[in-house]
Structure formats: C-alpha cells, structure tokens
Amino acid sequence: MAKMILNADVKLGKISKHIYGHFAEHLGRCIYGGIWVGEDSEIPNTGGIRNDVIDALRQIQIPVLRWPGGCFADEYHWQDGIGPREQRPRMINTHWGGVVENNHFGTHEFMLLCELTGAEPYICGNVGSGTVSEMQQWIEYITFDGESPMADLRRANGRDEPWKLTYFGVGNENWGCGGHMRPEYYADLYRRYATYVRNFGGNRIYKIACGSSGGDLRWTEVLMREAGRMMNGLSLHYYTVPGTWSKKGSATEFDHREWFVTLKKALAMNDIITRHSTIMDHYDPDRRVGMIIDEWGTWYDVEPGTNPGFLYQQNTIRDALVAGITFNIFHKHCSRVHMANIAQTVNVLQSILLTEGDKLVKTPTYHVFDMYKVHQDAEAVELICESDQYQYGEESIPQVTASASQDRAGRIHISLCNLHPEHEAEVNCELRGMVAGRVEGTVLTASVMNAHNTFAQPDLVRPQTFDQALIRGQTMIVKLPPMSVVVLSLE
Ligand code: AHR
C-alpha cells in the first residue's frame, strides 16, 4: 500500500519542458542510419533525415536536442561538416568503433533536424582539441546576421538567415575523454572559451559548463566557485549501470536481482542531484544556474554480435521504469534541474528509437516520454508519498514513486511507478486543494521483466488505457499492476 496526499494548492515551480530533452552523438548508428540516411536513400526522408524519426520525435514534443557529442564533441572540427558533402573530409571516429566519419551530417543538417522536429538546438563545442577561435567562429557562422567571414561562408553554403542557437556547451567530460583536466584548469579554460561564445543580434546563448560525473562533488565546488558567475548552466552526467563498467549486465537477459539493482541505482539520481544542488545553493542561492543533466540513462553490455564501440542495446519494461522513476525525481528538483538529455536518441544506450534498414521500433522508454509529456512546462504540485518498501534480500527501496503537476488548462497529472515486478500496489491518495470529478489514465506494463519491442513485434510493450483508478469524494484509489508506469489525468 502507498499512502499519498496531493496538495493541489501547493506549487513547487515549473517543470521545464527541457527536462524531456535528448542527446544524439556521432556514435554507432545514432546519427548515420538512425537519423541521417541521405537525400538519395530509399528510406523516406526530408533533406536526408528519416521521416519516421521526425514523426516520432514530433509526437513526443522533443524540446531540445544535444549534438554532436559526447566524447565525439571534443574531437569534432565543425568546419569539416559544412560545404558540399562529397568534398567534406573523411576521418576516423577514434572514440567510437574506429569507423569512417564522412562528415555528411554537420551543422546545416543538424539545424534542419531541429527545425523539422521542433527541438531547440544544444550544441556542444570542442575544448579538448579545439581552439578558442574555432569555437568563436562556429557561433559566428551559426548566429551572425551581418557581414563577416563566417556569416558570408554560411551564405555561400546556402543559408542566408542566421539560425537561432539557444544552448551551447563548452566542452564535454573534460575531466575524462574531453582532455583529462583538473577542475581548476578547466574552470580557467571555461572562462576563456566562454568569453568568445558571443551573443550576436537578438540571439542569446545559454552557456553550459562541463560538470562532473556522479559523485565527484569537488568538480562542482571548483566550477561554481571559480566560474559560476560566467555560466548559465552546469552539466552533470549519471548513468545507471547494473553491474561493473567491465561487466555491466545484459539489456534483456537478467534476473530479479539485476532488476532490483538497476532500479535501486536509478533511484540514486535523487541523492546525486541533492548533493550537487547543495553545493550549487551555496554559491548560487537564487538558483540562477541550471543543473543540466545532459547525459543519463541505462548502460548495459552491447547486444551480442554488435560492434562493442557502437553501444547498441535493447530496451525493456525495466528501462521504462528507470525513465519513469527518473522523471519523478527530476520533477521534485525542478527549481534546480533546468534540462536533462537522455542518452541517446536512436540505436545507442537507452534509446527511445531503434532502427534496422527502413524499419523503426519505439522502445518502452519512448512510450514513457510520450505519456509524461503532459508534465512539460507544467507547475509541479506537492505530492507526499509514503510507500511500502520493496524488499529484496537484505535491501529495500520504495515500491512506488510518484510526482504530480498542473497544466495550463488546470488539469492535474499524476505519474506513478510500481517498481515491484511481481506485486501490484494499492495507492490511497487524499486529494487536497482541489475537487476532482473524473480520472482517466494510461498504463505501460508487461507480463515479464524483460518484455521489449522488436522489429518482428514492434508493439508488444505499448501504452494501454488504464481503468484501475477511481475517485470517492476526496480520496482516489489506484491499483497499479506489477512493473508498471501509469499517468493519470484528473479533472
Ligand atoms: O553517451 C556515451 C558517452 O558517455 C558520451 O560520449 C560521453 O560523454 C559519456 O562518457
């Protein structure tokens, strides 16, 4: 049993739609094959971009897309990716599989993808192996509307108008693949590079400094102290890895123990955000600087028989639970977490979409993004939740997690996750500060822990109408099936 109190009149702040953001790197089959097929492909496309992917991303109202990496970003030289495609240099993607990168997907193609899907662009610049001038020129190329060498080059490449560029990251994981720097050194570099990330015309860039990974609090401390005043956002990466980095565990072949461990590690996101937030609060009590969780999600061993450098993994109802749990946590921290980007959009890590030739599969994680989109830009509402514990061996975690928000039309949405793979959960929710006459809902669940969608069975795990919630006066009673994600709408 879970006891909840919904205080509909207690608002906790706006849930930025950017929390539902995505990340697409030049890695494996994410960009090439997954998003970009080229104009001459037989796969239906618009300007080289797959139509099925465009439609799927529009459906979930993708708010923002981070590109081109990841580790790839600190080796990427943007001038390689402009001009006639056949003349663009070919290079080796040393980080990811050692395959040839032909640079056919570059700045113009990325901006087209954003235009077609409605996503705001979030570009990550090269600090690790790039120069200040290279970064400065990229911004000028994209956003300058006057006469200048870079704006003229953009025009020569077929784009007259500057683009609107909202988000820019100054490097990625510069404590690791982005240069193995110390925080003191990176903080100084950030200050230097960020100086030249200029606002041209009416374009205003939200500058994001590279943040830490998981528990490295010292990185956050130094960055906030030395460079906090010069940034709009500070990133944070956290991946849910059930095993160790050398043996992470399979995406589809796992037992109850691995299920439990995965969800427990996903829940750790709450603690990680809280610890980094505490440091940020010290330097930035008004919460001006956003925490930008620009890489999160599950990371398993690659699918057997696939390139280990391509990070291709399947996606089950377990991943849907990870997504639901994580969004409930982000909602709780919405006054500090301004953006989050799941890793990654297509065919890499916790993908929302998988492709094979002209076929496309929507994963269980995709459906969570679709169900939860009602929370985008809604007001978070207080939901006090006391859940039974889900016990496994000596350890336990809450069986149910939940969050609530109110949209512009006044509707309340409650999202609930039942983490237990075998037991249903009864929820008794007192409704305060509102009068609800009607409740309807959607559920995502499965009968086995590793249920997933394949190219042969693309709709095995898909949202269904939920009719196990009823309102009795000021109380709502809900029966959550085992391993389920439910979103309710109250009017
Ligand atoms: O998402 C895969 C990789 O994970 C990214 O390139 C890197 O930033 C992180 O370590």
Side-chain angles (χ1 to χ4, degrees):
M1 156 84 89
K3 279 189 144 187
M4 295 186 192
I5 303 172
L6 177 78
N7 287 317
D9 49 357
V10 180
K11 303 288 189 319
L12 305 176
K14 185 165 146 183
I15 298 171
S16 167
K17 65 179 177 183
H18 295 111
I19 282 175
Y20 289 87
H22 295 264
F23 168 39
E25 180 169 9
H26 287 238
L27 195 179
R29 296 187 302 114
C30 182
I31 297 291
Y32 297 107
I35 291 172
W36 175 258
V37 286
E39 285 155 333
D40 299 333
S41 171
E42 286 182 357
I43 298 173
N45 68 83
T46 304
I49 298 168
R50 294 179 72 119
N51 287 347
D52 50 4
V53 170
I54 296 168
D55 291 345
L57 296 180
R58 288 186 70 84
Q59 162 69 22
I60 56 170
Q61 295 167 11
I62 178 176
V64 59
L65 181 61
R66 178 176 185 248
W67 172 84
C71 293
F72 183 80
D74 282 283
E75 282 198 298
Y76 183 61
H77 301 285
W78 68 272
Q79 295 224 17
D80 293 346
I82 55 170
R85 284 190 204 107
E86 59 289 355
Q87 288 171 25
R88 295 184 192 175
R90 289 158 69 85
M91 60 191 261
I92 299 294
N93 190 334
T94 41
H95 263 294
W96 304 117
V99 291
V100 171
E101 160 67 58
N102 64 14
N103 279 302
H104 281 194
F105 191 89
T107 303
H108 290 248
E109 291 78 12
F110 172 65
M111 288 306 206
L112 175 65
L113 170 63
C114 290
E115 278 170 7
L116 292 170
T117 57
E120 284 180 65
Y122 169 10
I123 290 184
C124 186
N126 181 346
V127 172
S129 69
T131 63
V132 176
S133 142
E134 193 180 353
M135 188 177 286
Q136 181 260 320
Q137 288 180 332
W138 201 2
I139 305 294
E140 184 183 317
Y141 185 89
I142 296 171
T143 63
F144 191 58
D145 53 358
E147 200 183 309
S148 82
M150 289 303 115
D152 292 347
L153 182 59
R154 183 191 68 234
R155 290 187 193 101
N157 286 329
R159 171 81 188 194
D160 284 339
E161 293 299 306
W163 287 283
K164 183 171 177 282
L165 175 62
T166 332
Y167 297 101
F168 193 84
V170 180
N172 167 75
E173 296 197 351
N174 301 96
W175 39 263
C177 63
H180 291 105
M181 301 173 195
R182 293 171 305 112
E184 291 80 1
Y185 180 68
Y186 171 76
D188 280 346
L189 278 191
Y190 172 81
R191 292 163 62 124
R192 182 169 168 230
Y193 277 69
T195 302
Y196 301 93
V197 177
R198 293 210 164 99
N199 291 321
F200 291 116
N203 193 66
R204 289 288 165 275
I205 296 183
Y206 184 105
K207 299 178 196 178
I208 300 169
C210 161
S212 83
S213 174
D216 182 1
L217 301 176
R218 190 167 168 272
W219 184 280
T220 299
E221 172 84 39
V222 174
L223 261 291
M224 288 303 294
R225 190 182 67 220
E226 303 299 338
R229 286 179 310 282
M230 288 185 67
M231 64 177 78
N232 302 103
L234 179 62
S235 77
L236 176 69
H237 291 178
Y238 176 65
Y239 284 99
T240 299
V241 183
T244 60
W245 280 102
S246 55
K247 201 168 175 0
K248 302 177 197 74
S250 160
T252 52
E253 301 302 316
F254 54 85
D255 57 18
H256 192 158
R257 187 194 63 81
E258 277 176 274
W259 167 282
F260 178 87
V261 169
T262 307
L263 299 191
K264 185 169 183 201
K265 288 191 171 179
L267 286 167
M269 178 70 93
N270 184 48
D271 195 44
I272 287 165
I273 294 176
T274 306
R275 285 160 184 262
H276 288 279
S277 284
T278 306
I279 295 170
M280 292 178 80
D281 284 349
H282 176 74
Y283 293 98
D284 174 37
D286 296 336
R287 304 199 164 174
R288 180 190 64 81
V289 179
M291 184 185 285
I292 307 294
I293 305 176
D294 52 17
E295 289 186 29
W296 68 273
T298 52
W299 193 326
Y300 309 118
D301 294 330
V302 297
E303 287 304 307
T306 64
N307 187 328
F310 280 15
L311 311 187
Y312 177 74
Q313 66 189 40
Q314 249 294 357
N315 195 292
T316 68
I317 185 73
R318 174 175 61 162
D319 296 273
L321 262 305
V322 170
I325 290 168
T326 304
F327 286 133
N328 288 341
I329 294 169
F330 288 164
H331 294 171
K332 181 172 150 196
H333 293 279
C334 65
S335 64
R336 179 62 85 182
V337 179
H338 294 183
M339 190 202 292
N341 311 73
I342 193 167
Q344 300 193 4
T345 317
V346 195
N347 295 331
V348 170
L349 300 178
Q350 192 176 348
S351 308
I352 55 164
L353 300 170
L354 302 175
T355 66
E356 205 174 80
D358 63 350
K359 297 200 194 74
L360 175 117
V361 158
K362 293 174 175 164
T363 66
T365 300
Y366 176 91
H367 293 304
V368 176
F369 273 82
D370 199 19
M371 290 162 67
Y372 271 57
K373 71 186 176 197
V374 291
H375 293 297
Q376 289 191 16
D377 278 348
E379 280 287 320
V381 168
E382 186 175 76
L383 180 66
I384 300 166
C385 176
E386 263 182 41
S387 161
D388 278 352
Q389 290 292 299
Y390 159 18
Q391 191 83 29
Y392 187 83
E394 299 290 293
E395 297 178 82
S396 69
I397 55 178
Q399 185 181 349
V400 175
T401 80
S403 66
S405 72
Q406 183 165 37
D407 69 13
R408 279 198 206 107
R411 274 184 303 264
I412 297 273
H413 293 105
I414 304 183
S415 35
L416 304 135
C417 297
N418 179 5
L419 281 54
H420 205 295
E422 288 157 5
H423 300 160
E424 62 177 30
E426 183 161 315
V427 175
N428 190 301
C429 182
E430 184 186 333
L431 304 173
R432 268 207 60 264
M434 71 175 299
V435 179
R438 219 156 63 95
V439 57
E440 50 191 42
T442 309
V443 60
L444 190 72
T445 187
S447 50
V448 287
M449 283 188 292
N450 66 349
H452 57 279
N453 295 331
T454 63
F455 296 98
Q457 286 186 295
D459 287 323
L460 203 67
V461 187
R462 67 189 156 88
Q464 315 266 4
T465 302
F466 181 71
D467 57 8
Q468 293 297 303
L470 53 96
I471 294 175
R472 294 247 183 284
Q474 287 305 105
T475 303
M476 181 174 68
I477 296 156
V478 189
K479 266 206 182 100
L480 298 173
M483 47 184 162
S484 63
V485 179
V486 168
V487 176
L488 301 174
S489 173
L490 277 75
E491 276 182 272

